[in-house]
Amino acid sequence: MLMTILDGSIVTVAMPAIQSDLGFTPVGLSWVVNAYLIAFGSLLLLAGRLGDLIGRKRMFLAGTGIFTAASLLAGVATSPGVLITARFLQGVGSAMSSAVGLGILVTLFTVPRERARAIAVFSFTGAAGASLGQVLGGILTDALAWNWIFFINLPIGFATLLVALRALPSDQGLGLGAGADVLGAALVTTGLMTGIYAVVKIEEYGAGSAHTLGLGALALALLTGFLVRQAKAANPLMPLRILRSRSVSGANAVQMLMVAALFSFQILVALYLQKVLGYGAAETGLAMLPAAAVIGAVSLGVSARLIARFGERNVLLTGLVLLVGVLGLLARVPVHASYATDLLPVMLLAAGFGLALPALTSLAMSGAEEQDAGLASGLFNTTQQIGMALGIAVLSTLAATRTDSLTAAGRPAAEALTGGYHLAFAVGAGLLLAALALAFTVLRRPGKPGTPGAPGTQRTTRKRKSKSPATMAA
């Protein structure tokens, strides 16, 4: 998880150096990100289900190996084509390992309090990867070369493989016969790949263009065909029973809105710091470090205890309220901002993400049976990537359009840029309000934490009556 998130954030800082060294065109440079995103987002659901069928440990090890090898290829790339190919392979490896990560956790930790702690650590590594990526991206690029943003994955990848081989229990999986739906696999993978491609190209072609609408319609048709196929197939790739759980479907919908909104924080704040306030790459990473620190401290230090006491839903709602405050403040940030008074409070309120993500993850996984754990994990990661792609496409396009209109009206460059970011932050706050309303209405669950009606407790009790601890660990 650390390596995957680190790779996603570290690349953005080094993009100018990569373009200069390898001779990327402005349009071609976007594929350093898009190649990874398309492969990663389109394969998560398939990889999660395959993990259930052939064994989650096998899928995790294979994915980590592919990602590590692809990182080496990216580091030694001497042409745009090689780097884009390596980034696509990194996305494949990331999908394979990330898709089953949560599935492994929820089958190892079945007691609600222990599961909450494990998911909190999982969320903490994500925050750590994001903060390390922003800081290391600037430092490595300035001190060494852009190649080292990929070489940094090699020791992490090798260490992960060595530890996972010994620490993770072996599991045989359900067998390919339990879900070997080749047509379904082709429909969902092609549909997701087409949809994500359409979304990431919105900034280039426009939301209302024939290119975007045509590919969007094709993706929708393919995914609809996939759902119809799953309803009729004898051994479906994705049993539709998983979507009948309000906690699973509701948590995934909330996550998509939340991640789309928070793209404006992760990326547009960095652009504001550099283009408006004149920060360097390393300065930008350090300026955003307090946000990562409080997110990590909250997710690792208090989220599990709060979830055990108040329940996932209440902790999620509290986190979303804090995040609305983050984007609400950013929508008013001035052109000549003071870091201490205008930006540091925003960074500290980002602690809401440390509350929201562990609670949301617990809800998304609590409604899945053990045999569907990899699928639920893959689904959760898929909606995360779709939300990210939508956030990148929609909010960056809105910001750019608003900036252009202000520039045409004669506003100074810094003021025009800030006005564009204000619009994106305001729309992001609106998405978070929608996520808050959805969580409040859909994620209503009976019972209190620790009681038979609480999330995860009833299912765990049934499993413990029928299976030994050794069987559950496997």
Side-chain angles (χ1 to χ4, degrees):
M1 179 65 169
L2 176 71
M3 185 167 61
T4 298
I5 301 297
L6 175 73
D7 187 78
S9 59
I10 201 172
V11 171
T12 58
V13 181
M15 294 280 273
I18 293 173
Q19 182 179 17
S20 175
D21 193 18
L22 296 186
F24 272 98
T25 64
V27 174
L29 185 64
S30 67
W31 283 99
V32 176
V33 174
N34 291 344
Y36 177 89
L37 184 61
I38 290 171
F40 186 40
S42 62
L43 292 173
L44 279 164
L45 194 63
L46 176 60
R49 186 53 174 168
L50 285 177
D52 290 331
L53 299 179
I54 68 173
R56 288 181 281 272
K57 179 177 181 178
R58 292 190 185 96
M59 183 63 69
F60 182 84
L61 292 173
T64 303
I66 290 173
F67 181 89
T68 305
S71 296
L72 176 60
L73 178 62
V76 300
T78 56
S79 68
V82 173
L83 182 58
I84 290 172
T85 300
R87 290 289 289 160
F88 186 87
L89 292 174
Q90 279 188 310
V92 173
S94 282
M96 294 170 66
S97 57
S98 300
V100 295
L102 281 173
I104 291 172
L105 278 186
V106 298
T107 53
L108 288 176
F109 299 94
T110 58
V111 177
R113 181 182 292 271
E114 292 180 354
R115 178 179 292 182
R117 291 176 61 190
I119 289 175
V121 173
F122 188 80
S123 302
F124 167 74
T125 60
S131 61
L132 283 173
Q134 289 166 341
V135 176
L136 283 176
I139 293 175
L140 290 174
T141 302
D142 291 343
L144 297 171
W146 63 264
N147 313 71
W148 287 91
I149 67 171
F150 298 113
F151 290 150
I152 194 70
N153 292 327
L154 301 183
I156 302 175
F158 286 128
T160 301
L161 287 170
L162 289 174
V163 173
L165 280 168
R166 300 186 62 181
L168 296 183
S170 298
D171 58 315
Q172 296 301 314
L174 302 173
L176 287 174
D181 181 11
V182 177
L183 177 58
L187 286 169
V188 70
T189 303
T190 307
L192 287 171
M193 190 171 291
T194 303
I196 293 172
Y197 173 77
V199 168
V200 300
K201 301 299 285 184
I202 284 178
E203 189 172 1
E204 180 180 346
Y205 289 96
S209 67
H211 179 277
T212 300
L213 295 178
L215 287 178
L218 176 59
L220 185 61
L222 289 169
L223 293 175
T224 301
F226 168 71
L227 292 176
V228 172
R229 168 69 180 175
Q230 299 315 287
K232 297 180 177 179
N235 294 309
L237 181 72
M238 186 182 81
L240 296 183
R241 62 176 179 267
I242 193 171
L243 298 178
R244 298 191 188 106
S245 167
R246 292 182 68 178
S247 62
V248 172
S249 56
N252 277 281
V254 169
Q255 179 186 226
M256 190 180 300
L257 291 169
M258 184 178 77
V259 171
L262 290 178
F263 158 77
S264 64
F265 175 79
Q266 182 180 356
I267 305 298
L268 295 185
V269 169
L271 291 174
Y272 166 79
L273 290 171
Q274 294 184 48
K275 293 188 175 184
V276 177
L277 300 186
Y279 284 31
E283 278 184 300
T284 299
L286 292 172
M288 298 186 71
L289 192 58
V294 295
I295 291 171
V298 169
S299 62
L300 188 61
V302 300
S303 65
R305 291 198 294 271
L306 291 175
I307 288 171
R309 182 171 181 179
F310 300 107
E312 293 99 330
R313 178 177 176 270
N314 291 330
V315 174
L316 171 62
L317 293 174
T318 302
L320 288 173
V321 168
L322 292 176
L323 292 175
V324 171
V326 167
L327 295 189
L329 288 175
L330 285 172
R332 300 172 58 86
V333 70
V335 176
H336 303 291
S338 164
Y339 182 81
T341 58
D342 295 314
L343 292 171
L344 185 58
V346 170
M347 302 299 170
L348 297 179
L349 280 176
F353 191 69
L355 293 176
L357 185 59
L360 197 57
T361 306
S362 295
L363 284 166
M365 299 302 295
S366 64
E369 299 295 334
E370 182 184 352
Q371 68 266 26
D372 297 329
L375 176 61
S377 176
L379 179 63
F380 190 69
N381 281 283
T382 299
T383 57
Q384 186 177 83
Q385 293 305 306
I386 293 173
M388 186 182 300
L390 286 171
I392 291 172
V394 175
L395 298 183
S396 60
T397 300
L398 288 174
T401 302
R402 177 62 173 164
T403 298
D404 290 342
S405 67
L406 291 174
T407 301
R411 299 287 183 86
E415 187 177 334
L417 283 168
T418 304
Y421 298 146
H422 280 172
L423 176 60
F425 293 141
V427 173
L431 292 174
L432 285 174
L433 286 172
L436 183 64
L438 187 63
F440 184 79
T441 55
V442 174
L443 297 177
R444 289 182 176 275
R445 304 191 66 191
K448 297 180 179 179
T451 66
T457 308
Q458 187 175 2
R459 182 166 54 88
T460 300
T461 303
R462 288 199 305 266
K463 289 180 181 178
R464 286 187 164 189
K465 287 180 179 179
S466 60
K467 295 186 179 183
S468 68
T471 305
M472 281 301 302

